[in-house]
Amino acid sequence: MRKVYKNIFGEVISKSKATKLDEYHLYYYESDSDILKEIEFINDESIYNINYFLQEGDNEDEVLEYLKEKSDFLTSKKKKLPTDLSLLLINYTHSL
C-alpha cells in the first residue's frame, strides 16, 4: 500500500508536516495504482474515523478484523455506493 498524507483541505503534505498538525488524513492506495483503499482521519495522533473502500474479491470479514486491530473503540457500518464499490465506514465510538 502507498500512503499519502493530506491536510484537512485535501492538500498533499509530508509525513513530518502531518504529524505536527492537530488533524490530518492518511490515504492508502493500492501499490502502483491510484485505486483508493482507505482513508484514516487522525486527530491528536488518534484515528477517529476510517473509510475503507471494499472492492470485488475483498473478504469483508478479513477487512473488519484488520480494521478492528487498528482500534478497539471503532464500530462499523456498510454503505452501498452507486458504483460496484462498497464503502465500509468505521467510526470512533469510545466515550469517557
Side-chain angles (χ1 to χ4, degrees):
M1 293 260 225
R2 180 172 52 95
K3 296 180 183 180
V4 176
Y5 294 84
K6 295 185 179 185
N7 63 22
I8 60 172
F9 304 109
E11 300 166 333
V12 176
I13 56 176
S14 68
K15 179 181 178 179
S16 63
K17 187 172 183 179
T19 56
K20 292 176 185 172
L21 297 173
D22 291 334
E23 185 169 349
Y24 63 94
H25 304 153
L26 179 53
Y27 286 65
Y28 290 88
Y29 293 89
E30 285 189 6
S31 299
D32 302 324
S33 78
D34 288 331
I35 297 173
L36 181 61
K37 290 296 291 178
E38 177 180 346
I39 305 171
E40 291 180 356
F41 298 84
I42 302 168
N43 188 348
D44 297 324
E45 297 302 316
S46 295
I47 299 170
Y48 68 87
N49 189 354
I50 300 172
N51 289 350
Y52 190 94
F53 299 90
L54 291 171
Q55 295 185 345
E56 189 174 328
D58 284 348
N59 182 317
E60 193 172 327
D61 292 332
E62 288 176 5
V63 170
L64 282 172
E65 190 60 35
Y66 159 76
L67 294 170
K68 285 179 186 178
E69 289 175 9
K70 291 190 173 204
S71 177
D72 293 333
F73 302 113
L74 298 175
T75 59
S76 65
K77 66 179 176 181
K78 187 174 179 180
K79 180 179 179 181
K80 188 70 175 162
L81 298 177
T83 64
D84 288 340
L85 292 176
S86 291
L87 174 62
L88 192 56
L89 301 172
I90 309 296
N91 294 303
Y92 184 77
T93 58
H94 179 68
S95 59
L96 298 175

